């Protein structure tokens, strides 16, 4: 596996790990509403920043363009499907955010479930199909070049140290909510 696809796959692991935390939080009937609001607010921040801005940003701004240039179809093809799913994920995050603002925990949970199911399926498609295609059409030099662009994107668009801060957030949930 190339350096760029491996980096995205590592991020998938972090997102999947957060989705298992979502499972636990949503199925635990012992959680107080205040705890759910706190978790929900931090989750929305994590998903907006890490899953969407950082991870989907790397895919949309760099990887997908490189794949389109190597002949993998956008409209009516796998890239178009991935982009559509990113858009849908953004809508679910916005609905989660909106539900928290209106103090509607049931609506928050309903949208968190929609997002969780969408993302699990999306990540599986990328890992098992799109990244396999990417590894076939991108040689090591292109993968290394993409990886460099990812690193620069993280520094300039996401900000120095934010990636580490987001990983720390996951560990903090586990301690704070006794997961
Ligand atoms: Fe994606
Ligand atoms: Fe992805």
């Amino acid at each position: 596996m190339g350096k760029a696809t491996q980096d995205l796959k590592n991020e998938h692991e972090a997102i999947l790990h957060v989705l298992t935390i979502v499972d636990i939080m949503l199925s635990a009937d012992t959680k107080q509403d205040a705890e759910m609001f706190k978790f929900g607010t931090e989750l929305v921040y994590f998903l907006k920043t890490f899953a969407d801005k950082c991870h989907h940003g790397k895919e949309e701004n760099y990887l997908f363009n490189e794949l389109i240039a190597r002949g993998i179809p956008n409209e009516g093809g796998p890239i178009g499907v991935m982009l559509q799913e990113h858009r849908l994920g953004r809508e679910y995050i916005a609905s989660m955010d909106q539900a928290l603002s209106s103090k509607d925990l049931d609506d928050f949970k309903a949208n968190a479930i929609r997002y969780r199911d969408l993302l699990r399926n999306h990540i599986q498609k990328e890992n098992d199909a799109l990244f396999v295609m990417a590894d076939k059409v991108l040689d090591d030099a292109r993968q290394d070049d993409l990886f460099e662009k990812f690193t620069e994107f993280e520094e300039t668009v996401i900000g120095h140290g934010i990636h580490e801060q987001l990983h720390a957030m996951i560990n903090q949930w586990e301690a704070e909510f006794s997961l």
Side-chain angles (χ1 to χ4, degrees), residues 48-175:
K48 274 186 186 171
T49 315
F50 185 83
D52 199 42
K53 200 172 173 193
C54 177
H55 180 77
H56 293 160
K58 287 178 183 178
E59 291 177 344
E60 292 185 3
N61 295 307
Y62 304 103
L63 179 75
F64 292 175
N65 292 340
E66 195 69 42
L67 295 181
I68 292 164
R70 313 251 92 65
I72 295 179
N74 182 356
E75 294 291 323
I79 305 282
V81 175
M82 296 301 108
L83 289 170
Q84 172 55 28
E85 290 178 354
H86 287 185
R87 279 194 288 272
L88 194 55
R90 247 161 240 149
E91 283 174 25
Y92 293 152
I93 298 173
S95 299
M96 287 159 75
D97 204 1
Q98 181 60 49
L100 290 170
S101 302
S102 12
K103 303 268 175 238
D104 187 342
L105 266 187
D106 288 339
D107 191 37
F108 164 75
K109 287 181 184 176
N111 282 290
I113 288 168
R114 287 187 192 109
Y115 183 87
R116 177 199 67 190
D117 294 347
L118 172 78
L119 256 278
R120 276 197 178 130
N121 186 271
H122 178 79
I123 286 173
Q124 194 184 358
K125 282 186 219 166
E126 287 184 338
N127 283 353
D128 297 349
L130 193 74
F131 291 1
V132 176
M133 284 185 227
D135 283 334
K136 281 193 189 131
V137 298
L138 304 174
D139 61 18
D140 281 351
R142 281 196 197 280
Q143 286 263 2
D144 291 355
D145 181 54
L146 271 178
F147 181 72
E148 249 177 64
K149 288 185 175 133
F150 288 175
T151 310
E152 200 184 305
F153 179 75
E154 256 180 52
E155 284 290 315
T156 55
V157 179
I158 312 299
H160 184 72
I162 297 289
H163 218 262
E164 288 72 21
Q165 183 210 314
L166 290 164
H167 280 285
M169 192 179 237
I170 301 175
N171 296 332
Q172 196 201 316
W173 287 334
E174 285 169 333

